[in-house]
Amino acid sequence: MDSHVGSGKVITAPLITEDGRPIKDPLVLLEATSSQNTSDDTSTSSTNGNEIDESASRITDKLIIDWKLTLHQIGLDVLRTDRTMVFYENKENLSKLWDILAVYAWIDKDVGYCQGMSDLCSPMIVLLKDEADAFWCFEKLMRRLRGNFKCTDQSVGVANQLQYLASIIQVLDPKLHDHLEILGGGDYLFAFRMFMVLFRREVSFGDSLYLWEMMWALEYDPDIFFAACEDASAHKSKVSKSKLRGVRHFGKWDKDKDKENSKNGSEDTDGPVPISVFMVASVLKEKREKLLQEARGLDDLIRILNDVNGNLDAKKACAGALKLHKKYLKKVQTKKP
């Protein structure tokens, strides 16, 4: 498909024009191959970065053109991903991240590549030495999350989660919800990034792994889970087998539904509210007083929430999310006739 993929290079300028003509010597800022990684090569590429290669044949396949046009954007995002980590001082690891995202952008033609995917892929590169293993783990993760990246002029991919969040805050903290609406944040779009990249920017790298595992482990029906816990605590006896079967059932990932959601790029809106929604709610609860007292507009709202970046305590936020979750269920149940 393209000789740059797998070459150890990270492409940061267009490889092709919008009408399919290859660009000669595209700009390469990083190369994993040390023998080619010289400043002279970089400056030469930069000088000739926009020169059309007339000798190369023009590409007419629109799918290939669209794919090639995303490759330099992937490169730019790769250079900004987890740059404080020593792991990425090794240029070979950067090129692995670029390779995986480039290949994924081709196999998922419906979604392609979107900003934020590099944040989701990076842990796979760090944890798994084999590039193929890292790719397929990322591909499996994207089956769950690709719906987040499907945006139109009318809606964003995380729209369902934003609606859940609005409903939860309205029930648990009407005063805060009304204040956010007055500020123009009633659509909760300020939480867009938290859902999109699963809190990668809000917590440290290590905490993000803890957070992901916790969220994926909580694929249960929360009503049954808490009922089982309360029953065990009250009677100091074993939980009934029927309830445990219920917990196991809701904790199991539905493969058929997974395939269907992957095919349609949709989220499962029939099941329980994702724990990630209560995670965001716990962040808002923690910043509640500051939001009520200091936020006088959307800029203030975003500034206050940006203070969380890299400073969120994952374990504390998880505990807060579960408490809010339990409180929400009780309030909803008491309102039922």
Side-chain angles (χ1 to χ4, degrees):
M1 291 293 299
D2 192 281
S3 61
H4 296 95
V5 180
S7 69
K9 297 178 179 179
V10 177
I11 302 300
T12 53
L15 297 170
I16 196 171
T17 63
E18 292 187 359
D19 60 355
R21 291 184 295 170
I23 294 174
K24 189 176 182 180
D25 298 328
L27 180 64
V28 179
L29 288 187
L30 287 174
E31 295 185 15
T33 309
S34 58
S35 61
Q36 296 178 346
N37 189 24
T38 63
S39 58
D40 290 337
D41 287 343
T42 302
S43 62
T44 301
S45 297
S46 178
T47 303
N48 300 324
N50 294 322
E51 186 178 341
I52 304 301
D53 188 352
E54 300 294 348
S55 63
S57 58
R58 181 176 174 179
I59 297 172
T60 57
D61 189 321
K62 189 177 184 303
L63 287 175
I64 296 177
I65 293 173
D66 290 343
W67 175 68
K68 283 178 176 283
L69 285 172
T70 67
L71 295 181
H72 74 284
Q73 184 58 57
I74 295 174
L76 293 172
D77 287 347
V78 162
L79 297 183
R80 294 190 287 257
T81 303
D82 292 326
R83 293 302 294 137
T84 58
M85 293 182 64
V86 175
F87 178 83
Y88 283 116
E89 290 178 5
N90 182 339
K91 294 168 185 175
E92 185 177 348
N93 294 328
L94 282 171
S95 68
K96 279 184 179 180
L97 182 56
W98 186 78
D99 286 345
I100 287 175
L101 293 169
V103 174
Y104 181 80
W106 173 253
I107 68 166
D108 188 351
K109 297 178 181 64
D110 190 27
V111 174
Y113 172 78
C114 299
Q115 198 168 37
M117 288 184 182
S118 59
D119 293 292
L120 298 173
C121 185
S122 177
M124 310 302 174
I125 304 289
V126 175
L127 295 173
L128 302 165
K129 292 182 179 179
D130 185 84
E131 189 172 323
D133 288 343
F135 172 84
W136 288 111
C137 283
F138 173 67
E139 191 272 342
K140 184 65 175 177
L141 172 62
M142 286 305 299
R143 291 190 193 188
R144 298 183 178 214
L145 301 178
R146 67 190 295 273
N148 289 353
F149 294 92
K150 295 194 74 173
C151 300
T152 66
D153 293 336
Q154 288 77 34
S155 65
V156 295
V158 296
N160 288 331
Q161 295 170 69
L162 295 175
Q163 289 169 8
Y164 281 140
L165 179 61
S167 299
I168 289 166
I169 298 300
Q170 192 169 18
V171 169
L172 295 179
D173 196 339
K175 183 178 179 181
L176 178 59
H177 176 77
D178 291 343
H179 183 62
L180 293 175
E181 282 203 321
I182 291 170
L183 297 179
D187 53 10
Y188 287 77
L189 278 172
F190 55 81
F192 177 86
R193 189 184 67 190
M194 295 187 201
F195 291 125
M196 188 75 101
V197 297
L198 291 183
F199 305 95
R200 274 301 321 275
R201 310 282 178 84
E202 285 70 33
V203 300
S204 66
F205 183 85
D207 272 5
S208 67
L209 303 184
Y210 168 87
L211 195 60
W212 288 8
E213 288 200 345
M214 189 281 298
M215 289 192 293
W216 295 333
L218 289 176
E219 288 172 356
Y220 54 71
D221 182 311
D223 286 322
I224 294 179
F225 178 83
F226 282 116
C229 290
E230 288 169 359
D231 185 69
S233 177
H235 298 93
K236 295 182 180 180
S237 59
K238 293 183 180 179
V239 181
S240 67
K241 290 183 180 180
S242 61
K243 285 183 178 177
L244 284 176
R245 278 198 298 271
V247 173
R248 284 198 296 269
H249 169 73
F250 287 105
K252 183 180 178 183
W253 185 257
D254 190 327
K255 290 184 179 180
D256 293 332
K257 190 171 288 186
D258 176 27
K259 289 178 182 178
E260 185 66 22
N261 289 344
S262 175
K263 183 178 179 181
N264 298 331
S266 62
E267 299 175 45
D268 177 17
T269 57
D270 296 327
V273 179
I275 195 65
S276 57
V277 178
F278 290 93
M279 281 290 304
V280 179
S282 73
V283 172
L284 293 176
K285 183 178 183 295
E286 186 176 335
K287 295 290 183 180
R288 180 183 189 275
E289 295 307 317
K290 205 167 187 180
L291 289 169
L292 290 173
Q293 294 173 14
E294 299 180 18
R296 295 294 176 265
L298 274 177
D299 289 343
D300 292 334
L301 171 59
I302 293 168
R303 173 183 56 79
I304 292 169
L305 292 178
N306 279 344
D307 290 341
V308 176
N309 290 357
N311 300 314
L312 184 65
D313 185 321
K315 292 186 179 182
K316 184 179 177 182
C318 287
L322 289 173
K323 287 179 181 177
L324 288 177
H325 184 262
K326 191 173 182 179
K327 185 179 178 182
Y328 174 75
L329 289 178
K330 285 184 177 179
K331 286 208 169 191
V332 170
Q333 287 168 357
T334 55
K335 285 184 178 180
K336 290 180 180 179

